[in-house]
Each structure stands twice: as structure tokens, then as C-alpha cells.
Amino acid sequence: MRKLVLPLALVLTVGAFAQTKNKSSKFAEDITAKDLKAKLTVIAGAEMEGRETATPGQKRAAAYIENFFKSIGLQPGTPNGYQLKYPVYQDSLSNAALTINGSVLALDKDFNVSPASFITGSWKANEIIFASYGISDSTTNNFSGLDIKDKWVMVLDGTPTDGDRPNFRAIRAKMTGLTGKGAKGIIVISKDFPKAKPAGLKGNMYITKRTASATPVINISVSQAAAILGKNGAAFADLKSAVRGVYNASLALDITTTTNTLESSDVIGVLPGTDKKDEYVLVTGHYDHLGKRDTVIYYGADDDGSGTTSVMEIAQTFVKAKAKGNGPRRTMVFMTVSGEEEGLWGSDYYTSNPVFPLEKTTVDLNTDMVGRIDPGYKGDSLNYIYVIGEDKLSSDLMKISDSVNNSTMKLELDRRFNDPKDPNRFYYRSDHFNFAKHGVPVIFYFNGTHKDYHRPTDTVDKINFDLMTKRVKLVFYTAWAMANRDNMLVRDIPLPKLER
Ligand SMILES: [Zn+2]
């Protein structure tokens, strides 16, 4: 086998970083497992109640992060303070009345309104189109011979291949498909009526106001659906063989809702740079999580208490370095965002209303889940991190990432999830994506998923703080290199064609 010859440019990059390494490594020693644990214990503690966006728990977490930024001497990231606030809307259902073929259906016994579609309006129809599962993809077309445009369409819940866990991605694709085909209203036949517990009168939260033409989605019981299809008494499984097509049925639906305006925020602390202070390095992580269901708290220690803690710890380290005369040349922007779990809201809001110009933002280093070990990891599981995004937008990124790592932490930088086409689609699934979409080079640091992912058991006691410390140091060193090099990262690679 041939001897590996390093390209000259890479050798030079390594050399250039080695000079600054001595200084930065002295400061990196301040990043400790003990410090990380102390902060994460608060962030993922019971009093934060799982930090769901636009809830009191989220606001308590925001206040904690804000106070921390203030206490270490970061400047507020907005003219109005540390919190960049954005509106969140939530509708509540005041009234829902559904009549089919003259009989009045009972809420929660015969039907309910999907919380994703609380919208005020009145609808009438004389026919309902039954389209089996309502799926159209490469293998199935439940719409052949049917035109659902401006019609009420009725479909079976889920997908034919659902096991005990519904395939949420397929269901989302199907609902998007139904609205895309112009359905006037959607009726989903659901097995779980009568509801053991009313679904509640509060709808899902959202950030883009709905228009009056939004499509209502209601769920109805199997027996009501069977009556419409002329199969009185049929079970859900029997309806799978019902003939697709147009059924005569008179439907009248009235929904009245009220919209409540709530609020969430991104928390931003700034450390001004020296000779390049009009250019910016962003370090981000999301502080929101899933909140609580009834009394069960989803602590979100790894997701993404770990990234939030990382941002805070790196900020503190940069501040200490500056106090010793080693301030960053570029301005450091430390931002913990909310709304991530709802659909990357906080980073969407920031990148649509940037406080600092995105064209002057050299990089976003995003940490989302950096405290655990992927149980399926193949290499040195105590010494790795998955990195995503480095081969996009800037040909500088991966070179710097590698040279910094090689001269400091020597972690296994595992790029197996880097491809946006990877079935896990991690490239799309955290806040860096909104920056990349706007042309800002990004690196996403991620430990992979595990059995506690999005479960109440994602708790502080399961964090590997020694491994987390190594990862946070790597992000710190990389941020340091990017803050202090002569040039911003070149933007010489077009963003790949993205799907979302
Ligand atoms: Zn999550």
C-alpha cells in the first residue's frame, strides 16, 4: 500500500493552528466534567419541567441561562436584552358540532377535531370520498380514479404496515398529500373512540398564522364511518376492504376556536471580538424539550440539555481567555434556542430576523445531544462524535475540523450520518439546518440516538460527563480556530438541493 502523503495545504493548516493551540489549551482546562454536571443538573432538573416551548418551564430555563450569561459578563444579544422573543400561537376549541345524515355526533364519543387543525369555520358537503388509507407513494395509489379536489375525503387512520408504533413520517406525508391534492376537509377513521380521556380543548402550538382556507381535520369513530360506507356494525379491519369512491352523505361541521398568543425566546449572549468584531462565530444548542405529559417529566438531559450546557461552558471559557488578554478576534455569539422540538422554530426565527448579519457569520457550531453514547457505535465508543455538515458550503470546514481535532482531542470524527440522504435525515433535524439553508457553513455535533431518546428517562445520571467534556473541548478548540483565523470561511460550495 502506498504511503499516505498529506497535501501541503493541510500540513500548513495544522501548523498554523498548532501556534494558537498552546494558548487555547490552557483555557480549555477550565472545561470540566464537574462544571458541566453542575449546570446540566439545573437545566434538566425537575423544576424546569421538561422545558417545553412557551411554557413556564421553558421560561425558567431561559431566565437561568440569561442570568448565567449576565453573571459571566456577556453582553445582551438584542437591544431589548438577552432574550430574542418570538410569538407562538395556540388555539383553543370553544365549540365543535358535527352532523352527518341528520344525526348529531357527540364530541369525544363519535368524533373529535384534530388538535393540529383547530380553526374557526362552517363546512357543508353532500358527498364524502372514501380513499382507503389515503396513501399515494411509489408503490401504492389510493387515489386512482378519484378526484378529491374541493371534496371531503375520508381515510383510514395510520398505514397498512403500522406495527405497535405508528409510522409518524408516513402519516405526516399522507396528511400533506391530502391537503396537497386540494381536499376541502379530511375525516380520519380512528379506532380509539370513545375516547377514554377527552383529547382536550387546547390545540397544537404553531408559529405561522393560519389562513381561513386551512383544511379542517376531524377524527370519527369506526361505527360512524361504517354507517357512511353502508357497512353498519363493521370493524376497523372490515373497512379496509370497503370500496373506494364517492358516497352520498350530508355533512355539516361548525368549529369555533379562539387564538391565544404565547411567547418563547432564544437566549443570546455576546462576547465582542477585537480586530474582526464585525464578523461572527455562532455557538448554538437548543434548550427546549418536550415538557411533561400529565405529571411525567421529559427531562431532556441529553436532548438538548447537553448542548445548552456546552454553549454555556464554552462561553465561560472564552470570557476567561479574554480576561487574560486572549479575547477572540471575531465576535462570539452564544445562543441557546427554543422551539427546536416543535420544528426548529427558534433558529428559524433567528435566521429570518438575524440580529447579526448572516453573511458576516463565518460558522454555526451546533451541539444537539453530546452527552451520551450510541449503543450501536462501532469504534472507540468513549472517544467519538458524529459530525455532520462539514463538506457543505465551505471547503475550509472539514480541513479545519480535522486539523483542530488532530492537534487537540484526537476524537473519532465519525461522518457516517453526514449525507442528507441518510434515512435518519439528521442533517435536517437540528438548528444548524436553518443556518445552512441561509448559506452559513455549519458543523453539527451529535452523539447518535439511544433508548432514552424522547423518553422521560433521558436523565442527568445517564450522561457520560468525561466523554462530554472531550466533545465540548473539541467544539471550543474549533470555535477558537474559527474566531481567530485571518479569513472568514470561504463559501465556495453551493448548498445541495434540499428536501424537507
Ligand atoms: Zn429532540
Side-chain angles (χ1 to χ4, degrees):
M1 195 161 57
R2 281 186 67 199
K3 185 166 172 275
L4 184 69
V5 183
L6 285 178
L8 185 61
L10 186 58
V11 177
L12 288 176
T13 322
V14 174
F17 186 71
Q19 290 164 15
T20 60
K21 191 226 160 179
N22 289 343
K23 275 190 223 160
S24 56
S25 64
K26 191 169 74 199
F27 302 116
E29 293 314 308
D30 285 332
I31 298 171
T32 63
K34 187 166 160 267
D35 258 28
L36 294 170
K37 187 173 184 178
K39 291 184 177 76
L40 185 56
T41 302
V42 179
I43 296 278
E47 64 277 19
M48 300 300 183
E49 296 178 317
R51 312 181 301 281
E52 185 182 5
T53 295
T55 67
Q58 171 258 313
K59 289 176 177 35
R60 274 196 289 279
Y64 171 71
I65 300 162
E66 169 173 347
N67 285 336
F68 176 78
F69 283 170
K70 205 182 288 178
S71 75
I72 61 173
L74 291 183
Q75 293 182 1
T78 88
N80 306 315
Y82 291 86
Q83 296 193 38
L84 178 66
K85 298 189 171 162
Y86 60 89
V88 171
Y89 306 104
Q90 186 173 38
D91 296 333
S92 49
L93 191 64
S94 319
N95 179 55
L98 176 63
T99 309
I100 293 179
N101 292 331
S103 50
V104 178
L105 278 63
L107 189 65
D108 289 323
K109 177 176 168 281
D110 304 315
F111 85 106
N112 70 10
V113 182
S114 161
S117 114
F118 282 8
I119 175 169
T120 296
S122 293
W123 295 267
K124 278 192 170 26
N126 293 317
E127 53 188 30
I128 292 171
I129 297 179
F130 175 67
S132 187
Y133 277 96
I135 290 170
S136 65
D137 58 22
S138 50
T139 54
T140 311
N141 182 5
N142 291 153
F143 299 99
S144 61
L146 299 178
D147 181 5
I148 64 166
K149 188 159 169 43
D150 293 325
K151 305 283 187 195
W152 275 79
V153 59
M154 182 161 75
V155 297
L156 295 159
D157 195 9
T159 67
T161 51
D162 276 354
D164 22 320
R165 255 181 87 101
N167 181 345
F168 290 111
R169 191 185 298 166
I171 292 169
R172 206 166 50 225
K174 137 180 166 170
M175 297 311 277
T176 313
L178 288 165
T179 36
K181 287 181 169 52
K184 189 178 210 163
I186 300 169
I187 302 170
V188 179
I189 306 169
S190 165
K191 276 180 264 193
D192 42 316
F193 280 103
K195 295 284 178 194
K197 215 168 81 197
L201 301 177
K202 281 210 189 311
N204 293 355
M205 291 188 271
Y206 55 97
I207 50 168
T208 307
K209 279 216 172 176
R210 292 175 176 140
T211 61
S213 62
T215 314
V217 181
I218 56 175
N219 305 299
I220 66 167
S221 67
V222 172
S223 61
Q224 291 293 337
I228 294 169
L229 296 171
K231 286 179 169 281
N232 276 321
F236 186 87
D238 304 327
L239 298 185
K240 292 180 189 179
S241 58
V243 178
R244 295 182 304 108
V246 181
Y247 289 79
N248 288 327
S250 70
L251 169 150
L253 173 68
D254 283 289
I255 304 177
T256 314
T257 62
T258 19
T259 301
N260 306 300
T261 304
L262 313 173
E263 187 179 75
S264 191
S265 71
D266 300 333
V267 190
I268 311 175
V270 175
L271 185 67
T274 53
D275 62 318
K276 291 182 181 294
K277 66 175 187 322
D278 294 331
E279 295 173 4
Y280 305 90
V281 171
L282 259 72
V283 183
T284 57
H286 74 89
Y287 71 95
D288 68 297
H289 192 55
L290 304 172
K292 49 179 190 176
R293 307 280 178 270
D294 299 322
T295 55
V296 179
I297 298 174
Y298 287 66
Y299 293 94
D302 191 29
D303 182 11
D304 182 28
S306 64
T308 303
T309 306
S310 305
V311 174
M312 294 165 78
E313 189 76 0
I314 293 168
Q316 188 171 17
T317 311
F318 268 94
V319 167
K320 281 186 187 162
K322 185 167 184 171
K324 298 237 165 76
N326 289 286
R329 296 178 69 190
R330 292 187 175 78
T331 294
M332 299 296 305
V333 180
F334 299 99
M335 175 160 73
T336 62
V337 305
S338 63
E340 194 273 351
E341 304 285 11
E342 316 290 331
L344 313 186
W345 290 351
S347 52
D348 182 21
Y349 187 81
Y350 178 90
T351 51
S352 305
N353 308 272
V355 182
F356 305 102
L358 295 177
E359 60 279 5
K360 290 286 180 190
T361 301
T362 187
V363 73
D364 170 46
L365 302 177
N366 185 45
T367 47
D368 189 354
M369 301 173 62
V370 291
R372 294 280 297 266
I373 297 168
D374 175 351
Y377 189 70
K378 296 285 186 292
D380 180 356
S381 62
L382 295 178
N383 220 38
Y384 82 98
I385 184 78
Y386 296 126
V387 277
I388 293 172
E390 296 159 298
D391 62 341
K392 295 170 187 68
L393 298 166
S394 174
S395 60
D396 288 337
L397 263 177
M398 198 183 286
K399 278 187 279 187
I400 297 174
S401 188
D402 274 330
S403 73
V404 168
N405 181 52
N406 291 338
S407 60
T408 59
M409 302 313 296
K410 298 183 173 62
L411 295 184
E412 291 181 1
L413 298 187
D414 191 315
R415 293 168 173 133
R416 78 184 61 188
F417 295 124
N418 181 50
D419 187 347
K421 291 198 180 74
D422 177 89
N424 292 291
R425 296 168 57 85
F426 291 131
Y427 182 66
Y428 298 94
R429 285 173 53 184
S430 187
D431 298 294
H432 58 277
F433 176 69
N434 279 323
F435 287 92
K437 216 169 61 180
H438 285 86
V440 178
V442 303
I443 305 179
F444 169 30
Y445 298 90
F446 171 57
N447 52 223
T449 58
H450 43 73
K451 70 172 173 31
D452 302 303
Y453 171 71
H454 280 204
R455 297 243 161 90
T457 49
D458 176 7
T459 46
V460 175
D461 57 293
K462 299 193 186 77
I463 298 291
N464 184 321
F465 284 101
D466 288 333
L467 175 53
M468 181 175 163
T469 305
K470 294 183 205 172
R471 291 165 172 165
V472 178
K473 283 183 178 177
L474 175 67
V475 182
F476 164 73
Y477 281 126
T478 307
W480 181 283
M482 291 183 179
N484 290 309
R485 68 199 295 269
D486 287 336
N487 298 310
M488 278 187 48
L489 302 180
V490 290
R491 298 187 181 184
D492 55 349
I493 305 174
L495 191 64
K497 198 174 141 28
L498 301 168
E499 16 151 336
R500 193 165 159 77

PDB file of all heavy atoms in Angstrom, residues 24-53:
ATOM      1  N   SER A  24      -4.835  28.236  23.690  1.00  0.00           N
ATOM      2  CA  SER A  24      -6.210  27.791  23.912  1.00  0.00           C
ATOM      3  C   SER A  24      -6.261  26.580  24.834  1.00  0.00           C
ATOM      4  O   SER A  24      -7.209  26.426  25.598  1.00  0.00           O
ATOM      5  CB  SER A  24      -6.913  27.503  22.587  1.00  0.00           C
ATOM      6  OG  SER A  24      -6.195  26.562  21.835  1.00  0.00           O
ATOM      7  N   SER A  25      -5.229  25.731  24.799  1.00  0.00           N
ATOM      8  CA  SER A  25      -5.301  24.514  25.619  1.00  0.00           C
ATOM      9  C   SER A  25      -5.234  24.862  27.113  1.00  0.00           C
ATOM     10  O   SER A  25      -5.825  24.175  27.944  1.00  0.00           O
ATOM     11  CB  SER A  25      -4.193  23.541  25.251  1.00  0.00           C
ATOM     12  OG  SER A  25      -2.948  24.103  25.530  1.00  0.00           O
ATOM     13  N   LYS A  26      -4.566  25.953  27.420  1.00  0.00           N
ATOM     14  CA  LYS A  26      -4.533  26.405  28.813  1.00  0.00           C
ATOM     15  C   LYS A  26      -5.963  26.731  29.289  1.00  0.00           C
ATOM     16  O   LYS A  26      -6.372  26.368  30.376  1.00  0.00           O
ATOM     17  CB  LYS A  26      -3.660  27.664  28.854  1.00  0.00           C
ATOM     18  CG  LYS A  26      -3.273  28.160  30.226  1.00  0.00           C
ATOM     19  CD  LYS A  26      -2.198  29.256  30.113  1.00  0.00           C
ATOM     20  CE  LYS A  26      -2.793  30.555  29.614  1.00  0.00           C
ATOM     21  NZ  LYS A  26      -1.810  31.503  29.060  1.00  0.00           N
ATOM     22  N   PHE A  27      -6.720  27.401  28.397  1.00  0.00           N
ATOM     23  CA  PHE A  27      -8.089  27.782  28.784  1.00  0.00           C
ATOM     24  C   PHE A  27      -9.043  26.595  28.740  1.00  0.00           C
ATOM     25  O   PHE A  27      -9.972  26.521  29.532  1.00  0.00           O
ATOM     26  CB  PHE A  27      -8.584  28.923  27.895  1.00  0.00           C
ATOM     27  CG  PHE A  27      -7.693  30.133  27.980  1.00  0.00           C
ATOM     28  CD1 PHE A  27      -6.987  30.579  26.878  1.00  0.00           C
ATOM     29  CD2 PHE A  27      -7.542  30.803  29.186  1.00  0.00           C
ATOM     30  CE1 PHE A  27      -6.143  31.677  26.971  1.00  0.00           C
ATOM     31  CE2 PHE A  27      -6.702  31.903  29.293  1.00  0.00           C
ATOM     32  CZ  PHE A  27      -5.995  32.338  28.176  1.00  0.00           C
ATOM     33  N   ALA A  28      -8.787  25.677  27.817  1.00  0.00           N
ATOM     34  CA  ALA A  28      -9.681  24.522  27.686  1.00  0.00           C
ATOM     35  C   ALA A  28      -9.722  23.701  28.969  1.00  0.00           C
ATOM     36  O   ALA A  28     -10.695  22.993  29.236  1.00  0.00           O
ATOM     37  CB  ALA A  28      -9.235  23.648  26.514  1.00  0.00           C
ATOM     38  N   GLU A  29      -8.676  23.812  29.787  1.00  0.00           N
ATOM     39  CA  GLU A  29      -8.667  23.067  31.048  1.00  0.00           C
ATOM     40  C   GLU A  29      -9.801  23.492  31.971  1.00  0.00           C
ATOM     41  O   GLU A  29     -10.168  22.771  32.901  1.00  0.00           O
ATOM     42  CB  GLU A  29      -7.320  23.238  31.769  1.00  0.00           C
ATOM     43  CG  GLU A  29      -6.147  22.582  31.035  1.00  0.00           C
ATOM     44  CD  GLU A  29      -6.472  21.178  30.565  1.00  0.00           C
ATOM     45  OE1 GLU A  29      -6.939  20.354  31.384  1.00  0.00           O
ATOM     46  OE2 GLU A  29      -6.309  20.896  29.352  1.00  0.00           O
ATOM     47  N   ASP A  30     -10.362  24.682  31.718  1.00  0.00           N
ATOM     48  CA  ASP A  30     -11.487  25.135  32.537  1.00  0.00           C
ATOM     49  C   ASP A  30     -12.787  24.410  32.211  1.00  0.00           C
ATOM     50  O   ASP A  30     -13.786  24.565  32.914  1.00  0.00           O
ATOM     51  CB  ASP A  30     -11.708  26.645  32.347  1.00  0.00           C
ATOM     52  CG  ASP A  30     -10.648  27.449  33.087  1.00  0.00           C
ATOM     53  OD1 ASP A  30     -10.134  26.944  34.107  1.00  0.00           O
ATOM     54  OD2 ASP A  30     -10.324  28.560  32.641  1.00  0.00           O
ATOM     55  N   ILE A  31     -12.785  23.688  31.100  1.00  0.00           N
ATOM     56  CA  ILE A  31     -13.989  22.901  30.764  1.00  0.00           C
ATOM     57  C   ILE A  31     -13.870  21.570  31.500  1.00  0.00           C
ATOM     58  O   ILE A  31     -13.032  20.737  31.165  1.00  0.00           O
ATOM     59  CB  ILE A  31     -14.089  22.687  29.234  1.00  0.00           C
ATOM     60  CG1 ILE A  31     -14.220  24.044  28.535  1.00  0.00           C
ATOM     61  CG2 ILE A  31     -15.249  21.759  28.896  1.00  0.00           C
ATOM     62  CD1 ILE A  31     -14.100  23.974  27.014  1.00  0.00           C
ATOM     63  N   THR A  32     -14.704  21.395  32.522  1.00  0.00           N
ATOM     64  CA  THR A  32     -14.561  20.186  33.354  1.00  0.00           C
ATOM     65  C   THR A  32     -15.880  19.440  33.475  1.00  0.00           C
ATOM     66  O   THR A  32     -16.968  20.037  33.366  1.00  0.00           O
ATOM     67  CB  THR A  32     -14.098  20.550  34.786  1.00  0.00           C
ATOM     68  OG1 THR A  32     -15.128  21.353  35.401  1.00  0.00           O
ATOM     69  CG2 THR A  32     -12.791  21.323  34.774  1.00  0.00           C
ATOM     70  N   ALA A  33     -15.760  18.153  33.739  1.00  0.00           N
ATOM     71  CA  ALA A  33     -16.940  17.312  33.941  1.00  0.00           C
ATOM     72  C   ALA A  33     -17.772  17.836  35.117  1.00  0.00           C
ATOM     73  O   ALA A  33     -19.004  17.839  35.067  1.00  0.00           O
ATOM     74  CB  ALA A  33     -16.500  15.872  34.192  1.00  0.00           C
ATOM     75  N   LYS A  34     -17.094  18.309  36.139  1.00  0.00           N
ATOM     76  CA  LYS A  34     -17.782  18.796  37.338  1.00  0.00           C
ATOM     77  C   LYS A  34     -18.659  20.017  37.001  1.00  0.00           C
ATOM     78  O   LYS A  34     -19.823  20.098  37.389  1.00  0.00           O
ATOM     79  CB  LYS A  34     -16.715  19.171  38.379  1.00  0.00           C
ATOM     80  CG  LYS A  34     -17.242  19.531  39.734  1.00  0.00           C
ATOM     81  CD  LYS A  34     -16.087  19.536  40.760  1.00  0.00           C
ATOM     82  CE  LYS A  34     -16.480  20.335  41.978  1.00  0.00           C
ATOM     83  NZ  LYS A  34     -16.070  21.749  41.918  1.00  0.00           N
ATOM     84  N   ASP A  35     -18.071  20.955  36.239  1.00  0.00           N
ATOM     85  CA  ASP A  35     -18.797  22.157  35.811  1.00  0.00           C
ATOM     86  C   ASP A  35     -20.007  21.806  34.949  1.00  0.00           C
ATOM     87  O   ASP A  35     -21.099  22.348  35.128  1.00  0.00           O
ATOM     88  CB  ASP A  35     -17.874  22.998  34.910  1.00  0.00           C
ATOM     89  CG  ASP A  35     -17.280  24.170  35.655  1.00  0.00           C
ATOM     90  OD1 ASP A  35     -17.131  24.052  36.883  1.00  0.00           O
ATOM     91  OD2 ASP A  35     -16.972  25.177  34.979  1.00  0.00           O
ATOM     92  N   LEU A  36     -19.765  20.907  33.999  1.00  0.00           N
ATOM     93  CA  LEU A  36     -20.844  20.528  33.077  1.00  0.00           C
ATOM     94  C   LEU A  36     -21.980  19.886  33.851  1.00  0.00           C
ATOM     95  O   LEU A  36     -23.159  20.173  33.620  1.00  0.00           O
ATOM     96  CB  LEU A  36     -20.321  19.580  31.990  1.00  0.00           C
ATOM     97  CG  LEU A  36     -19.304  20.184  30.999  1.00  0.00           C
ATOM     98  CD1 LEU A  36     -18.687  19.099  30.125  1.00  0.00           C
ATOM     99  CD2 LEU A  36     -19.968  21.252  30.118  1.00  0.00           C
ATOM    100  N   LYS A  37     -21.614  19.044  34.796  1.00  0.00           N
ATOM    101  CA  LYS A  37     -22.638  18.345  35.565  1.00  0.00           C
ATOM    102  C   LYS A  37     -23.453  19.328  36.409  1.00  0.00           C
ATOM    103  O   LYS A  37     -24.688  19.223  36.491  1.00  0.00           O
ATOM    104  CB  LYS A  37     -21.994  17.290  36.469  1.00  0.00           C
ATOM    105  CG  LYS A  37     -23.020  16.416  37.152  1.00  0.00           C
ATOM    106  CD  LYS A  37     -22.394  15.275  37.903  1.00  0.00           C
ATOM    107  CE  LYS A  37     -23.496  14.389  38.472  1.00  0.00           C
ATOM    108  NZ  LYS A  37     -22.964  13.230  39.184  1.00  0.00           N
ATOM    109  N   ALA A  38     -22.771  20.301  37.005  1.00  0.00           N
ATOM    110  CA  ALA A  38     -23.479  21.276  37.852  1.00  0.00           C
ATOM    111  C   ALA A  38     -24.521  22.036  37.026  1.00  0.00           C
ATOM    112  O   ALA A  38     -25.665  22.207  37.455  1.00  0.00           O
ATOM    113  CB  ALA A  38     -22.476  22.239  38.476  1.00  0.00           C
ATOM    114  N   LYS A  39     -24.131  22.458  35.839  1.00  0.00           N
ATOM    115  CA  LYS A  39     -25.068  23.229  35.003  1.00  0.00           C
ATOM    116  C   LYS A  39     -26.204  22.345  34.490  1.00  0.00           C
ATOM    117  O   LYS A  39     -27.377  22.722  34.521  1.00  0.00           O
ATOM    118  CB  LYS A  39     -24.333  23.840  33.804  1.00  0.00           C
ATOM    119  CG  LYS A  39     -23.354  24.949  34.179  1.00  0.00           C
ATOM    120  CD  LYS A  39     -22.743  25.560  32.923  1.00  0.00           C
ATOM    121  CE  LYS A  39     -21.801  26.721  33.238  1.00  0.00           C
ATOM    122  NZ  LYS A  39     -20.476  26.296  33.758  1.00  0.00           N
ATOM    123  N   LEU A  40     -25.848  21.157  34.016  1.00  0.00           N
ATOM    124  CA  LEU A  40     -26.874  20.284  33.429  1.00  0.00           C
ATOM    125  C   LEU A  40     -27.880  19.816  34.488  1.00  0.00           C
ATOM    126  O   LEU A  40     -29.060  19.612  34.183  1.00  0.00           O
ATOM    127  CB  LEU A  40     -26.218  19.083  32.729  1.00  0.00           C
ATOM    128  CG  LEU A  40     -27.171  18.167  31.969  1.00  0.00           C
ATOM    129  CD1 LEU A  40     -27.991  18.937  30.933  1.00  0.00           C
ATOM    130  CD2 LEU A  40     -26.418  17.025  31.288  1.00  0.00           C
ATOM    131  N   THR A  41     -27.409  19.680  35.710  1.00  0.00           N
ATOM    132  CA  THR A  41     -28.305  19.261  36.794  1.00  0.00           C
ATOM    133  C   THR A  41     -29.426  20.288  36.995  1.00  0.00           C
ATOM    134  O   THR A  41     -30.564  19.934  37.290  1.00  0.00           O
ATOM    135  CB  THR A  41     -27.499  19.050  38.095  1.00  0.00           C
ATOM    136  OG1 THR A  41     -26.495  18.063  37.826  1.00  0.00           O
ATOM    137  CG2 THR A  41     -28.378  18.562  39.231  1.00  0.00           C
ATOM    138  N   VAL A  42     -29.113  21.553  36.777  1.00  0.00           N
ATOM    139  CA  VAL A  42     -30.152  22.589  36.875  1.00  0.00           C
ATOM    140  C   VAL A  42     -31.043  22.558  35.630  1.00  0.00           C
ATOM    141  O   VAL A  42     -32.278  22.483  35.728  1.00  0.00           O
ATOM    142  CB  VAL A  42     -29.515  23.999  37.033  1.00  0.00           C
ATOM    143  CG1 VAL A  42     -30.613  25.059  37.105  1.00  0.00           C
ATOM    144  CG2 VAL A  42     -28.620  24.043  38.256  1.00  0.00           C
ATOM    145  N   ILE A  43     -30.404  22.597  34.454  1.00  0.00           N
ATOM    146  CA  ILE A  43     -31.160  22.647  33.176  1.00  0.00           C
ATOM    147  C   ILE A  43     -32.142  21.479  33.061  1.00  0.00           C
ATOM    148  O   ILE A  43     -33.280  21.650  32.623  1.00  0.00           O
ATOM    149  CB  ILE A  43     -30.180  22.574  31.978  1.00  0.00           C
ATOM    150  CG1 ILE A  43     -29.255  23.795  31.961  1.00  0.00           C
ATOM    151  CG2 ILE A  43     -30.910  22.406  30.647  1.00  0.00           C
ATOM    152  CD1 ILE A  43     -29.833  25.012  31.346  1.00  0.00           C
ATOM    153  N   ALA A  44     -31.678  20.293  33.409  1.00  0.00           N
ATOM    154  CA  ALA A  44     -32.519  19.098  33.259  1.00  0.00           C
ATOM    155  C   ALA A  44     -33.139  18.692  34.585  1.00  0.00           C
ATOM    156  O   ALA A  44     -33.514  17.530  34.781  1.00  0.00           O
ATOM    157  CB  ALA A  44     -31.703  17.952  32.657  1.00  0.00           C
ATOM    158  N   GLY A  45     -33.253  19.634  35.500  1.00  0.00           N
ATOM    159  CA  GLY A  45     -33.851  19.346  36.803  1.00  0.00           C
ATOM    160  C   GLY A  45     -35.369  19.403  36.746  1.00  0.00           C
ATOM    161  O   GLY A  45     -35.960  19.941  35.807  1.00  0.00           O
ATOM    162  N   ALA A  46     -35.995  18.856  37.777  1.00  0.00           N
ATOM    163  CA  ALA A  46     -37.457  18.751  37.807  1.00  0.00           C
ATOM    164  C   ALA A  46     -38.136  20.115  37.746  1.00  0.00           C
ATOM    165  O   ALA A  46     -39.206  20.268  37.155  1.00  0.00           O
ATOM    166  CB  ALA A  46     -37.895  18.000  39.066  1.00  0.00           C
ATOM    167  N   GLU A  47     -37.496  21.139  38.344  1.00  0.00           N
ATOM    168  CA  GLU A  47     -38.160  22.453  38.376  1.00  0.00           C
ATOM    169  C   GLU A  47     -38.299  23.058  36.981  1.00  0.00           C
ATOM    170  O   GLU A  47     -39.107  23.958  36.770  1.00  0.00           O
ATOM    171  CB  GLU A  47     -37.445  23.406  39.355  1.00  0.00           C
ATOM    172  CG  GLU A  47     -36.027  23.763  38.991  1.00  0.00           C
ATOM    173  CD  GLU A  47     -34.996  22.704  39.427  1.00  0.00           C
ATOM    174  OE1 GLU A  47     -35.359  21.529  39.688  1.00  0.00           O
ATOM    175  OE2 GLU A  47     -33.820  23.067  39.489  1.00  0.00           O
ATOM    176  N   MET A  48     -37.533  22.580  36.001  1.00  0.00           N
ATOM    177  CA  MET A  48     -37.655  23.095  34.627  1.00  0.00           C
ATOM    178  C   MET A  48     -38.762  22.362  33.848  1.00  0.00           C
ATOM    179  O   MET A  48     -39.052  22.702  32.709  1.00  0.00           O
ATOM    180  CB  MET A  48     -36.329  22.974  33.876  1.00  0.00           C
ATOM    181  CG  MET A  48     -35.176  23.729  34.500  1.00  0.00           C
ATOM    182  SD  MET A  48     -35.479  25.508  34.617  1.00  0.00           S
ATOM    183  CE  MET A  48     -33.906  26.068  35.294  1.00  0.00           C
ATOM    184  N   GLU A  49     -39.317  21.329  34.460  1.00  0.00           N
ATOM    185  CA  GLU A  49     -40.492  20.633  33.909  1.00  0.00           C
ATOM    186  C   GLU A  49     -40.379  20.264  32.438  1.00  0.00           C
ATOM    187  O   GLU A  49     -41.356  20.312  31.679  1.00  0.00           O
ATOM    188  CB  GLU A  49     -41.743  21.495  34.119  1.00  0.00           C
ATOM    189  CG  GLU A  49     -42.064  21.697  35.595  1.00  0.00           C
ATOM    190  CD  GLU A  49     -43.273  22.582  35.799  1.00  0.00           C
ATOM    191  OE1 GLU A  49     -43.387  23.607  35.099  1.00  0.00           O
ATOM    192  OE2 GLU A  49     -44.105  22.241  36.657  1.00  0.00           O
ATOM    193  N   GLY A  50     -39.182  19.927  31.992  1.00  0.00           N
ATOM    194  CA  GLY A  50     -39.015  19.459  30.617  1.00  0.00           C
ATOM    195  C   GLY A  50     -38.948  20.562  29.571  1.00  0.00           C
ATOM    196  O   GLY A  50     -38.889  20.283  28.377  1.00  0.00           O
ATOM    197  N   ARG A  51     -38.999  21.854  30.026  1.00  0.00           N
ATOM    198  CA  ARG A  51     -38.678  22.999  29.167  1.00  0.00           C
ATOM    199  C   ARG A  51     -39.465  23.038  27.844  1.00  0.00           C
ATOM    200  O   ARG A  51     -38.913  23.366  26.792  1.00  0.00           O
ATOM    201  CB  ARG A  51     -37.169  23.033  28.850  1.00  0.00           C
ATOM    202  CG  ARG A  51     -36.275  22.870  30.063  1.00  0.00           C
ATOM    203  CD  ARG A  51     -34.808  22.942  29.716  1.00  0.00           C
ATOM    204  NE  ARG A  51     -34.335  21.970  28.766  1.00  0.00           N
ATOM    205  CZ  ARG A  51     -34.046  20.696  29.039  1.00  0.00           C
ATOM    206  NH1 ARG A  51     -34.161  20.243  30.286  1.00  0.00           N
ATOM    207  NH2 ARG A  51     -33.625  19.881  28.095  1.00  0.00           N
ATOM    208  N   GLU A  52     -40.712  22.708  27.888  1.00  0.00           N
ATOM    209  CA  GLU A  52     -41.491  22.772  26.639  1.00  0.00           C
ATOM    210  C   GLU A  52     -41.681  24.226  26.215  1.00  0.00           C
ATOM    211  O   GLU A  52     -41.989  25.101  27.036  1.00  0.00           O
ATOM    212  CB  GLU A  52     -42.861  22.113  26.825  1.00  0.00           C
ATOM    213  CG  GLU A  52     -43.633  22.051  25.506  1.00  0.00           C
ATOM    214  CD  GLU A  52     -45.031  21.436  25.657  1.00  0.00           C
ATOM    215  OE1 GLU A  52     -45.439  21.140  26.795  1.00  0.00           O
ATOM    216  OE2 GLU A  52     -45.693  21.265  24.624  1.00  0.00           O
ATOM    217  N   THR A  53     -41.519  24.470  24.927  1.00  0.00           N
ATOM    218  CA  THR A  53     -41.630  25.813  24.364  1.00  0.00           C
ATOM    219  C   THR A  53     -42.940  26.489  24.785  1.00  0.00           C
ATOM    220  O   THR A  53     -44.002  25.863  24.748  1.00  0.00           O
ATOM    221  CB  THR A  53     -41.527  25.722  22.832  1.00  0.00           C
ATOM    222  OG1 THR A  53     -40.207  25.258  22.525  1.00  0.00           O
ATOM    223  CG2 THR A  53     -41.739  27.072  22.162  1.00  0.00           C
TER     224      THR A  53
END
